[in-house]
Each structure stands twice: as structure tokens, then as C-alpha cells.
Amino acid sequence: MRVVKIKNLNKSHLEKTFIVKGRIRYLKVDNNKKSSGKHLNSILFDDSSEIEVVAFKDCDEIFKKLNTDNVVQIENAMLKEVNKDYKKTKHKYKIILISNSIITTINNNEVNNNDFPIHKYTSAAVLKTLETGMIIDVFGVCIQLNSEKTNTQSQTYRKGVIRVELTEFEVRFYGEKAEKLYDVGSVLTLSCVTYINIKGSEFLSVGHLSNVKCTLQQLFNVPVLENSKIEFSDHILLIPSSSSFNNSLAIESPDQIPSTSYSTPSIKSLAIESPVQIPSTSYSTPSIKRTTQDINVEESPSKILKIADPEESFSDERFFNTVQNLLKEVDDKNINVIKLRILEFISEILRKNKT
């Protein structure tokens, strides 16, 4: 029997057996709300899509045998349509584990990362299409974090805002996640967070099962993952090995920012790409030194930007608009390369100023 891609699981599999493989990115055992016993929830994904996997028997035993990030093969399970009020993914169906289901963990050296991406992130465009309660992974730049926590009758949380591509989303950190203060301007990688949209209130809920990684923006000297890939939005972007890293676009591990090894293009070929083409590179790069969101850009040999008064405050928004105006007539075929080179060059300037 051939393995079925997750995207291809459909009503024809409701009455017949199938085999499916996927990487685990979410795993939890909860007590049943309306009856005794427990149930296990998991999310499985491959390069095509993702799907919820549920078990109602032997939950603790299954939980002990599984680990997030592992690739597993599932046989002899059932397929069932999802109640739209309880969807955790966008898939129409979910997999139900039964007594004779077989779950096999695949050894890492046998896993083809082209079929099972290391990470799967949700883009800003897709975020706007989700239903409340869906569990996602996302990363973006922290642009705001309240110093004070909000206390309610049931729980305490801290509000923040992240920018995913060019779109801002509210984030609420609950429990122990609310105790940490993250640096504005840093990249936050949020794993297993819940998208909430109730009565016009839209935010990402970061609870005790969520993982948060905070990374200062780095655009240089980042090791490339060998022959692996990352899924962002609906696109799969290959991370080539270092030997073939000449004209390819590389996306780093979830707590890092894209890096390139291209030669510096001329100013005439610079371009700004659309926000959906590549994750989280459309924001301006803040300096680690500064404590506000403004940056002073001085005249340099490359002459990207010239300011009449060096002491004048130069905001991120003003800088971004200035660069866009300079780069309107660029050939689209160079967009990806040039956008990253802009960020590289700015980061190099900030690094030299620091030393």
C-alpha cells in the first residue's frame, strides 16, 4: 500500500485503509470535558499540508512513544470529517487512532526533508484566513511589548505586537510566558500558538504548551542547514548545502534570519519584493545599540542614502519609504537577491559602528 500525501486524504479514504507519514509539531493529552477519560491531540504535517491526529484510548501510552519534530508513519487509522467549531488545522478531515492502529517512528537518517520540512510557518496572508482555535507556528519581529501585565478573573497575560512580513498582529503571553520581557526589534519564533478571533478580538495566544524563541536579528555568518527545507505560507523553499549556495535563496532555522552569499549588486539593480514572496524580510533592521525605534543613517562609501543633517532623527518608516522610492525601476527578476542584500548591507553598517 502506498503512502498518501496528507493533502490528498479525502472522502474516498473514509471507508478504506491508508498509510500516511508526517512530522509531529504539536502533541497534547487532555481530560475529556463532558465525560471521564482522556483524549490525545496531535498535528502531523508533510510538504503538502497538515492534519490533526486524535486518540481516545491508551492516550498516555501513545504520548510517551511520540515526540514532537519526529517523523512517524500511521497505518490502520480512521479518517473522519472535522467539526468546524473545533478545527486545529485547515484540513477538512482528521485522523482517528483506533485499537489496531500502528504508529512507527522513522529514524532521522531515513527521513527525506524534501518530503517532510523541518519547520512549517504560517504567513501573514494565511493568518487572515484561519478560524479561531487553530494551532500554528509563526515568526515575526517584536515591535511592541507592554511593560505591565493584564489581570483578569481567570488569568494573567502580557500584550505584545509582532510584525509578520508587513502585517502587525497582537500577541498575548499567558502564565509563565508572561513573565519574560522580550526585546523590541528581536525576532520571536512562536511554536504551537493558538489563533483567536472572537467578536472582533484577534490575537495569537501563547500558552504553557507554546514555545517562544527570541533572537536578535543576525544577517551574517549563520550556518546553513544541509539539504533541508522550510515551509512558509503555501511555498516550500529549499535550503541548499553550502557547496551549492551560489544563486539560491536560503531560509535559516526558525530562530534565525535569512542570509545570502551573493556579490553586492549595483544600486541600479536594487528592488523591494512583495511581502508574500519571502518570510519576514520586509521590515527595516533596527540597531542593537539603540533604545528607540529610530535609526540615524549616515553617508557611507556606498551612498545608499544621504541625509542633509546627520543629527536628524530618521524613523524606520521614513527609511523604508525612502528606499522604496529609490528602487522603483528595478527588474523584478532580481527582487529576492536585492532585498536580502539591502538588509545585509544595513546590518554590516550597524556592526561596524558598534566596533
Side-chain angles (χ1 to χ4, degrees):
M1 188 183 305
R2 296 181 61 183
V3 175
V4 181
K5 288 284 188 182
I6 291 176
K7 182 179 181 179
N8 295 331
L9 288 171
N10 53 51
K11 63 180 181 180
S12 69
H13 297 96
L14 295 174
E15 304 296 333
K16 66 180 182 180
T17 58
F18 58 87
I19 299 176
V20 67
K21 286 184 181 181
R23 192 182 295 275
I24 301 171
R25 73 169 183 84
Y26 174 78
L27 190 61
K28 183 182 180 183
V29 174
D30 280 326
N31 293 322
N32 296 333
K33 293 182 178 180
K34 298 182 179 180
S35 62
S36 60
K38 301 178 180 181
H39 64 277
L40 177 142
N41 284 110
S42 177
I43 293 178
L44 209 64
F45 71 93
D46 61 13
D47 63 335
S48 69
S49 186
E50 60 181 352
I51 192 169
E52 184 180 0
V53 179
V54 181
F56 296 99
K57 294 182 179 180
D58 304 320
C59 298
D60 291 328
E61 289 75 12
I62 296 173
F63 182 84
K64 293 176 183 177
K65 294 179 181 179
L66 300 179
N67 291 295
T68 54
D69 297 329
N70 281 354
V71 175
V72 299
Q73 175 175 293
I74 298 176
E75 302 176 60
N76 301 333
M78 294 175 54
L79 195 66
K80 183 178 179 180
E81 191 165 347
V82 179
N83 184 329
K84 65 179 182 179
D85 295 327
Y86 300 98
K87 293 186 70 172
K88 288 182 170 57
T89 75
K90 298 191 74 173
H91 207 292
K92 184 178 181 180
Y93 299 94
K94 63 181 176 181
I95 296 172
I96 307 293
L97 300 177
I98 54 180
S99 57
N100 63 335
S101 295
I102 301 173
I103 305 176
T104 306
T105 300
I106 310 300
N107 293 329
N108 288 334
N109 58 2
E110 298 176 2
V111 174
N112 183 347
N113 290 329
N114 290 327
D115 297 323
F116 307 102
I118 302 298
H119 304 287
K120 181 183 179 69
Y121 295 110
T122 302
S123 70
V126 174
L127 269 168
K128 290 295 185 181
T129 68
L130 299 181
E131 298 179 35
T132 189
M134 290 188 177
I135 298 171
I136 62 171
D137 295 346
V138 66
F139 69 90
V141 178
C142 178
I143 62 173
Q144 178 185 327
L145 188 65
N146 291 2
S147 58
E148 300 295 330
K149 290 179 286 188
T150 301
N151 297 310
T152 64
Q153 294 181 349
S154 58
Q155 50 195 335
T156 300
Y157 63 89
R158 189 187 302 276
K159 282 187 179 182
V161 177
I162 65 171
R163 181 180 292 140
V164 181
E165 300 162 48
L166 289 180
T167 306
E168 296 179 4
F169 290 92
E170 180 181 331
V171 181
R172 296 185 184 181
F173 301 90
Y174 291 88
E176 71 275 9
K177 300 296 190 301
E179 301 302 320
K180 185 174 177 60
L181 289 173
Y182 302 101
D183 295 326
V184 172
S186 61
V187 176
L188 294 184
T189 303
L190 309 176
S191 302
C192 295
V193 300
T194 305
Y195 171 80
I196 303 294
N197 191 345
I198 300 178
K199 296 181 180 180
S201 179
E202 180 186 32
F203 60 92
L204 302 176
S205 175
V206 183
H208 72 280
L209 284 179
S210 305
N211 291 318
V212 181
K213 291 183 180 180
C214 179
T215 308
L216 293 176
Q217 296 187 41
Q218 298 291 335
L219 298 176
F220 289 90
N221 302 324
V222 181
V224 177
L225 298 176
E226 293 291 327
N227 298 321
S228 57
K229 64 180 182 178
I230 175 175
E231 180 170 326
F232 188 91
S233 182
D234 296 322
H235 306 285
I236 303 296
L237 302 177
L238 179 65
I239 299 178
S241 61
S242 55
S243 61
S244 60
F245 193 54
N246 291 322
N247 297 311
S248 302
L249 174 65
I251 302 299
E252 273 296 339
S253 57
D255 52 356
Q256 296 168 329
I257 295 297
S259 173
T260 69
S261 58
Y262 307 110
S263 58
T264 305
S266 64
I267 295 299
K268 292 182 179 180
S269 64
L270 294 177
I272 294 292
E273 65 169 338
S274 61
V276 297
Q277 288 175 304
I278 179 168
S280 301
T281 58
S282 54
Y283 48 82
S284 58
T285 307
S287 168
I288 296 176
K289 280 184 171 182
R290 63 195 175 104
T291 57
T292 69
Q293 291 299 298
D294 293 334
I295 179 170
N296 294 323
V297 181
E298 299 180 351
E299 182 177 359
S300 68
S302 296
K303 296 183 180 179
I304 286 182
L305 182 62
K306 183 175 181 180
I307 300 178
D309 182 3
E311 301 300 324
E312 179 184 1
S313 176
F314 205 82
S315 67
D316 290 348
E317 181 179 1
R318 183 180 171 191
F319 172 77
F320 181 76
N321 291 336
T322 301
V323 173
Q324 279 189 312
N325 291 333
L326 288 171
L327 311 177
K328 285 182 178 179
E329 300 181 358
V330 179
D331 190 343
D332 287 345
K333 68 181 180 180
N334 292 321
I335 282 179
N336 288 349
V337 175
I338 305 309
K339 182 64 177 296
L340 293 175
R341 290 299 302 152
I342 291 173
L343 294 175
E344 266 193 1
F345 189 82
I346 295 171
S347 179
E348 182 66 17
I349 292 174
L350 296 177
R351 177 180 298 179
K352 289 179 179 178
N353 289 341
K354 184 177 180 180
T355 57

